[in-house]
């Protein structure tokens, strides 16, 4: 169990542990705070919008309104402290093409209300029922309830639908030709390799509709063209520029998702563990050949 492993770490029986105590456990956290190592874990979390079903179909202003309504800082600083960092887009930090200057959607209820009116639903009036689907999990429930509360403040009533994993996948994936039933869904994407194509193509290229990853049913020829052009280039800077252009369309023009956070990883290492090379592909990819144990031997009894 985690508690058993934590006690073993505290007792000196483990040199590393890949799950530090929660920031909500102040006493235990204080004991190990100096031994926590944080680093990006290349992935992005989001709430997907189903662009083939009302009310999000053909209504970018509504999708933008939802983005401005949700307080991501609260989620990542208070609700789930020390887990992730608020996202301004899709491409995670550390990946060529990540754009730190992308405006994204900071929490702004006034903008959310203005865009809600522009979308045709002033104060939420006339908005059809909207449901956020999540797979069964306490954290997903807490996240859904926070989003529900934020949207309520701008006049939107959102239901939360929690189902088992199989039903959830069926509701979000659909098929290549038919959209899933979920209007909104909690999801995230880890990159298989450190390249922007590994997240932009499966999620937003029209060739990936349905089970391959484009659960949003998003189709934009300009984005397809940018991704295809970038894939044919070998110059890193030129490719990154095209990926930034594609991301800006996906995020700022089309608001395909409710962009939540970039994932990060935290790992405990004893002070005598040296040579740790952190990998954005995950703690399990840390090269063991670089690690040294420099513990001072105990003197003989």
């Amino acid at each position: 169990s985690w508690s058993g492993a934590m006690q073993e770490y505290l007792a000196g029986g483990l040199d590393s542990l890949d799950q530090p105590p929660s920031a909500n456990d102040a006493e235990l956290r204080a004991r190990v705070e100096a031994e926590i190592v944080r680093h990006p874990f290349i992935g992005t979390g989001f709430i997907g919008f189903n662009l083939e079903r009302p009310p999000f179909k053909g209504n970018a202003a509504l999708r933008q309104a939802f983005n401005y309504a949700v307080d991501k800082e609260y989620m990542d600083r208070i609700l789930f402290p020390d887990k992730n960092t608020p996202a301004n887009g899709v491409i995670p930090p550390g990946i060529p093409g990540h754009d730190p200057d992308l405006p994204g959607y900071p929490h702004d209820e006034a903008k959310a209300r203005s865009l809600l009116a522009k979308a045709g639903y002033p104060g939420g009036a006339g908005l059809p029922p909207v449901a956020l689907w999540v797979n069964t999990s306490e954290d997903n429930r807490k996240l859904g309830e926070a989003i529900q509360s934020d949207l309520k403040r701008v006049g939107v009533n959102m239901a939360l639908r929690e189902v088992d994993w199989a039903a959830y996948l069926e509701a979000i994936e659909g098929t290549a030709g038919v959209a899933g039933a979920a209007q909104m869904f909690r999801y995230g994407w880890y990159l298989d390799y450190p390249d922007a194509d590994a997240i932009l193509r499966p999620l937003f290229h029209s060739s990936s509709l349905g089970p391959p990853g484009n659960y949003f049913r998003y189709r934009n020829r300009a984005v397809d063209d940018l991704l295809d052009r970038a894939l044919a280039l070998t110059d890193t800077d030129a490719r990154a520029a095209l990926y930034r252009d594609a991301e800006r369309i996906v995020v700022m023009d089309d608001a395909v998702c409710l962009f939540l956070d970039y994932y990060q990883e935290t790992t405990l290492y004893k002070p005598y563990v040296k040579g740790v090379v952190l990998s954005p592909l995950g703690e399990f990819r840390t090269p063991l050949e670089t690690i040294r144990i420099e513990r001072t031997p105990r003197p003989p009894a």
Side-chain angles (χ1 to χ4, degrees), residues 3 32 50 56 75 77 136 138 148 152 184 192 204 222 243 246 256 281 283:
S3 60
V32 299
N50 190 328
F56 302 111
M75 292 178 184
R77 304 287 182 241
T136 303
E138 182 180 352
Q148 188 178 49
K152 181 69 173 177
M184 298 172 65
D192 294 320
F204 306 112
Y243 287 137
V256 179
L281 293 174
E283 181 271 338

Side-chain angles (χ1 to χ4, degrees), residues 134-198:
V134 299
N135 58 294
T136 303
S137 146
E138 182 180 352
D139 281 356
N140 281 344
R141 190 179 312 121
K142 288 168 62 177
L143 176 71
E145 289 170 350
I147 292 171
Q148 188 178 49
S149 176
D150 286 346
L151 290 174
K152 181 69 173 177
R153 278 196 287 271
V154 299
V156 173
N157 292 311
M158 185 203 79
L160 188 59
R161 186 158 187 183
E162 186 176 355
V163 297
D164 65 47
W165 182 246
Y168 175 71
L169 279 184
E170 182 180 355
I172 69 171
E173 288 185 352
T175 66
V178 180
Q183 296 166 299
M184 298 172 65
F185 51 90
R186 168 73 176 105
Y187 211 73
W189 198 267
Y190 292 103
L191 284 68
D192 294 320
Y193 50 94
D195 189 283
D197 189 74

Side-chain angles (χ1 to χ4, degrees), residues 239-260:
R239 294 182 73 235
L242 293 179
Y243 287 137
R244 282 192 293 272
D245 289 345
E247 181 184 41
R248 187 166 289 268
I249 295 171
V250 167
V251 176
M252 303 311 303
D253 295 346
D254 294 337
V256 179
C257 321
L258 200 166
F259 305 94
L260 289 180

Side-chain angles (χ1 to χ4, degrees), residues 275-279 283-291:
V276 176
V277 178
L278 302 173
S279 171
E283 181 271 338
F284 62 94
R285 295 287 183 89
T286 299
L288 298 180
E289 64 269 19
T290 68
I291 291 180

